[in-house]
C-alpha cells in the first residue's frame, strides 16, 4: 500500500503581515486503487444512514466495516441531533394487492418521500412472519429507538406481536401470548449497546374493570424467548387509565392511575413489585375519571423528564374546555412537580381552521411533545392535527385529513383509511443509527 500526500502553499518572509494566505492543496494516491479501511470509514461515516446501509451490499469487506460496533459508535458521535421524526397513528391497514401493511403517520420526513401530501407520509410494514392470518385489526402498540411493536390481533383477547425496524426493514415475530385478558395495555422496553439490541421486554397489563388490589401482568423476555405471568399485590386499590398507553423511562413502565398517581413497574426486576409516583395536586381530576378516561391528558417523557399535560374538561361557553396546563416531575424518585405552563382559554389564539371546532365545543386531545422544542406540543383537534406554542399561546392547524382523504381516494386507497385515535398515537423518532434486530426469528406459534 502507498500513500502519497503533496502539499503546496505560497510563502513570503519579507513582510509577514502582507503574506497572502493560500489554502493548502492536498492530493492522495492509493496504489492499485485500493482504499484503506480508515479512509472508507471516514467517508462512510459522513454519509446519510440510508446510503451507508445500501453500501453493505458492495462487498464482504464493506459489510464487515459497516457492521462493526466501532463504526456504529463513530457514526452516532458525528450524527446531527436533528433526526427525522413523525407522529405515528396506531392504526395499521393492509393492502393485499401489494402485500404490505400501511401505517398512517403525520408530520413530514419519516423514512419515505411525501408523495401523498406535503405533511403526510406512509410507512410500509411487512406481512406477518409465517402467518396467513392477515386482516385490518392490526395496531401499533409501542415504539422505541426506531423499533415499532405492532399487534396483529388474530383473535379476541389474544395478542400476536411483531417488532419491526422501519430503517432496515427487518421484522421479528414474538411467540403468541397464552394468557387471555379482556382489556390489555402493552408496554415495550429495550436495552441496546453499540447499535445492537441486547434484550427487550414486552409487557401486557390486564386492565380490569373497576378498582383492584391485584395486578396481573404477562412479560415476554427476549433472553428466554418465553412469556411469564406476574401477579403484584398492592396496598391500595388501582384502576389504570387504560386509554392512555404506558410510558417507558429508566427501564421501567409507567401507567396513570385514576386516584393515586403514576403506577411504576420494572419488568427487569424479579421482585414483582410496583410503586406509585403521585400526580400534581392541582390537576383537573375529571380528565382521568371513568367518564373521560384520560382522553384530554398527555403523560410522556420529554428530554429525559416525565411531563404531564392536561386540557381541562371544564367548559367555558362557547368552548368545550377552559385551559391548558403542563407540569414537569422535578426528580424521578420524588412526587414533586413543577407547573411549567398554565393558560386560560380566553388567552389562547386559534388558527382560522380551528375556530369553528373550538366554538362547537370540541375538546383537543393531546398527542405528543415536540422532541426538540420544549415549548411545542401537538393535539388532535377533532379530525385535525394542531400544534400549540407555550410562548405565543397559539393553536395552529397543521394537517386537515380532508385533504389527505381526497388524495388517498384518487390513488385508489380510500377504503383503507381509518380515522386515527389520537390518544394512541406515538411520537416516533428515528435514532442516528438503527438498532439491529436478532437475525434468528422465533416461531410465532
Amino acid at each position: 500500500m502507498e500513500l502519497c500526500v503533496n502539499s503546496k502553499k505560497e510563502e513570503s518572509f519579507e513582510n509577514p503581515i502582507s503574506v497572502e494566505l493560500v489554502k493548502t492543496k492536498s492530493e492522495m494516491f492509493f496504489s492499485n486503487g485500493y482504499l484503506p479501511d480508515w479512509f472508507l470509514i471516514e467517508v462512510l461515516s459522513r454519509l446519510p444512514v440510508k446510503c451507508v446501509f445500501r453500501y453493505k451490499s458492495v462487498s464482504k469487506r464493506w459489510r464487515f466495516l459497516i457492521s462493526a460496533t466501532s463504526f456504529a459508535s463513530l457514526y452516532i458521535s458525528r450524527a446531527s441531533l436533528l433526526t427525522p421524526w413523525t407522529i405515528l397513528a396506531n392504526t395499521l391497514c393492509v393492502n393485499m394487492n401489494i402485500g404490505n401493511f400501511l401505517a398512517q403517520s403525520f408530520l413530514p420526513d419519516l423514512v419515505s418521500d411525501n408523495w401523498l401530501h406535503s405533511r403526510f407520509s406512509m410507512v410500509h410494514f411487512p406481512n406477518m412472519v409465517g402467518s396467513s392470518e392477515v386482516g385490518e385489526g392490526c395496531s401499533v402498540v409501542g415504539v422505541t429507538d426506531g423499533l415499532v411493536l405492532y399487534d396483529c390481533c388474530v383473535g379476541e383477547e389474544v395478542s400476536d406481536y411483531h417488532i419491526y425496524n422501519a430503517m432496515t426493514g427487518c421484522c421479528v415475530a414474538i411467540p403468541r401470548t397464552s394468557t387471555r385478558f379482556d382489556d390489555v395495555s402493552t408496554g415495550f422496553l429495550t436495552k441496546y449497546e453499540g447499535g445492537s439490541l441486547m434484550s427487550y421486554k414486552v409487557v401486557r397489563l390486564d386492565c380490569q374493570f373497576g378498582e383492584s388490589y391485584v395486578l396481573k401482568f404477562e412479560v415476554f423476555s427476549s433472553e428466554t424467548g418465553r412469556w411469564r405471568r406476574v401477579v403484584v399485590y398492592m396496598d391500595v386499590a388501582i384502576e389504570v387509565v387504560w386509554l392512555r398507553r404506558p410510558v417507558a423511562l429508566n427501564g421501567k413502565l409507567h401507567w396513570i392511575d385514576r386516584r393515586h398517581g403514576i403506577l411504576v413497574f420494572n419488568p427487569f426486576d424479579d421482585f414483582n413489585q410496583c410503586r406509585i409516583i403521585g400526580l400534581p395536586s392541582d390537576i383537573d381530576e375529571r380528565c382521568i375519571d371513568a367518564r373521560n378516561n384520560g382522553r384530554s391528558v398527555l403523560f410522556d417523557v420529554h428530554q429525559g423528564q416525565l411531563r404531564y399535560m392536561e386540557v381541562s374538561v371544564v367548559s367555558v361557553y362557547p368552548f368545550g374546555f377552559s385551559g391548558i396546563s403542563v407540569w414537569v416531575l422535578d426528580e424521578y424518585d420524588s412526587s414533586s412537580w413543577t407547573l411549567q405552563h398554565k393558560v386560560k382559554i380566553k388567552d389562547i389564539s386559534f388558527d382560522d381552521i380551528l375556530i369553528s371546532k373550538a366554538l362547537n365545543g370540541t375538546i383537543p386531545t393531546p398527542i405528543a411533545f415536540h422532541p426538540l422544542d420544549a415549548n411545542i406540543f401537538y393535539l388532535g383537534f377533532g379530525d385535525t392535527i394542531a400544534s400549540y406554542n407555550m410562548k405565543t399561546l397559539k393553536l395552529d392547524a397543521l394537517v386537515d385529513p380532508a385533504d389527505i382523504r381526497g388524495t388517498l381516494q384518487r390513488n385508489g386507497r380510500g377504503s383503507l383509511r381509518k380515522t386515527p385515535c389520537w390518544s394512541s398515537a406515538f411520537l416516533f423518532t428515528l435514532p442516528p443509527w438503527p438498532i439491529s434486530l436478532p437475525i434468528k426469528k422465533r416461531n410465532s406459534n
Side-chain angles (χ1 to χ4, degrees):
M1 180 184 74
E2 264 182 26
L3 172 61
C4 299
V5 180
N6 298 328
S7 300
K8 301 176 181 178
K9 63 180 179 179
E10 297 179 3
E11 297 180 329
S12 173
F13 298 99
E14 296 180 358
N15 186 356
I17 299 179
S18 64
V19 171
E20 180 181 357
L21 299 178
V22 179
K23 185 178 179 180
T24 301
K25 298 180 180 179
S26 300
E27 298 178 0
M28 287 187 287
F29 304 95
F30 301 104
S31 63
N32 300 323
Y34 179 83
L35 300 178
D37 290 351
W38 68 265
F39 182 80
L40 281 174
I41 290 173
E42 283 296 320
V43 173
L44 292 171
S45 64
R46 288 168 167 78
L47 298 177
V49 68
K50 284 185 182 181
C51 296
V52 174
F53 269 76
R54 191 179 301 122
Y55 292 150
K56 274 189 172 184
S57 59
V58 171
S59 66
K60 291 183 178 180
R61 176 175 168 237
W62 284 42
R63 183 180 183 86
F64 175 80
L65 290 175
I66 295 172
S67 302
T69 303
S70 57
F71 180 81
S73 300
L74 175 64
Y75 194 93
I76 293 172
S77 67
R78 293 179 172 179
S80 170
L81 295 176
L82 301 175
T83 54
W85 62 278
T86 188
I87 292 177
L88 184 65
N90 74 318
T91 302
L92 286 174
C93 301
V94 62
N95 185 340
M96 295 300 294
N97 295 326
I98 61 176
N100 286 332
F101 289 116
L102 301 178
Q104 301 173 71
S105 59
F106 296 86
L107 303 182
D109 300 331
L110 183 59
V111 292
S112 59
D113 295 331
N114 299 321
W115 55 274
L116 288 177
H117 192 272
S118 60
R119 294 184 180 273
F120 179 81
S121 60
M122 277 188 167
V123 186
H124 293 257
F125 288 80
N127 283 328
M128 292 186 296
V129 179
S131 174
S132 59
E133 302 177 17
V134 180
E136 291 192 6
C138 301
S139 60
V140 175
V141 295
V143 296
T144 179
D145 301 316
L147 302 178
V148 179
L149 177 70
Y150 63 96
D151 181 8
C152 294
C153 308
V154 296
E156 293 183 1
E157 305 169 1
V158 177
S159 297
D160 187 18
Y161 296 112
H162 294 75
I163 298 176
Y164 177 67
N165 190 319
M167 296 178 72
T168 64
C170 181
C171 183
V172 174
I174 296 177
R176 289 183 184 173
T177 59
S178 57
T179 306
R180 294 179 177 270
F181 294 151
D182 291 335
D183 291 298
V184 178
S185 179
T186 305
F188 183 33
L189 291 167
T190 59
K191 286 185 177 181
Y192 63 93
E193 183 178 338
S196 296
L197 185 63
M198 306 304 293
S199 64
Y200 59 88
K201 303 277 187 181
V202 177
V203 179
R204 303 174 73 230
L205 171 61
D206 182 16
C207 297
Q208 304 175 44
F209 180 77
E211 296 180 338
S212 177
Y213 289 88
V214 181
L215 301 178
K216 298 178 181 179
F217 296 90
E218 190 177 26
V219 181
F220 176 81
S221 172
S222 61
E223 297 174 343
T224 63
R226 297 178 181 178
W227 291 91
R228 69 180 179 95
R229 300 178 185 179
V230 177
V231 178
V232 178
Y233 298 92
M234 301 294 295
D235 295 330
V236 294
I238 299 297
E239 187 177 2
V240 170
V241 179
W242 56 266
L243 185 63
R244 281 296 176 179
R245 57 180 173 79
V247 174
L249 178 64
N250 298 334
K252 303 177 183 66
L253 291 171
H254 307 73
W255 285 268
I256 301 177
D257 173 68
R258 296 196 195 284
R259 293 168 182 81
H260 305 289
I262 307 301
L263 177 71
V264 185
F265 175 66
N266 183 359
F268 293 96
D269 192 346
D270 294 329
F271 291 107
N272 298 338
Q273 297 177 347
C274 291
R275 74 181 185 96
I276 300 292
I277 298 176
L279 282 173
S281 58
D282 51 344
I283 64 172
D284 183 355
E285 295 182 356
R286 283 165 290 190
C287 293
I288 55 176
D289 62 14
R291 178 181 178 181
N292 295 290
N293 202 24
R295 192 179 305 276
S296 60
V297 304
L298 173 63
F299 171 62
D300 210 343
V301 177
H302 183 268
Q303 298 179 353
Q305 288 184 292
L306 290 175
R307 299 175 83 189
Y308 184 89
M309 189 266 280
E310 70 176 18
V311 177
S312 178
V313 295
V314 178
S315 61
V316 175
Y317 183 82
F319 304 100
F321 65 103
S322 58
I324 298 175
S325 302
V326 181
W327 293 265
V328 179
L329 185 65
D330 295 331
E331 295 182 6
Y332 180 75
D333 293 327
S334 72
S335 295
S336 175
W337 298 79
T338 296
L339 180 64
Q340 181 185 15
H341 180 74
K342 189 177 183 69
V343 61
K344 295 181 179 180
I345 192 163
K346 65 181 180 65
D347 298 320
I348 300 175
S349 58
F350 293 84
D351 184 285
D352 291 341
I353 298 177
L354 304 177
I355 285 292
S356 60
K357 300 180 187 298
L359 295 179
N360 287 336
T362 301
I363 302 177
T365 300
I367 302 176
F369 296 105
H370 192 289
L372 302 176
D373 193 333
N375 293 305
I376 297 176
F377 51 82
Y378 299 94
L379 308 100
F381 213 127
D383 59 355
T384 302
I385 296 180
S387 68
Y388 176 76
N389 192 313
M390 289 189 283
K391 281 189 173 181
T392 63
L393 309 183
K394 185 177 182 182
L395 274 166
D396 289 300
L398 296 181
V399 178
D400 187 350
D403 299 334
I404 302 170
R405 190 178 299 113
T407 307
L408 288 172
Q409 290 173 350
R410 287 194 296 272
N411 284 277
R413 296 190 177 94
S415 61
L416 292 176
R417 175 169 168 73
K418 291 183 178 180
T419 302
C421 177
W422 303 130
S423 57
S424 299
F426 297 87
L427 176 66
F428 184 41
T429 303
L430 292 178
W433 186 258
I435 307 301
S436 59
L437 291 170
I439 297 176
K440 182 180 179 181
K441 300 179 178 62
R442 301 186 184 277
N443 193 338
S444 61
N445 294 322

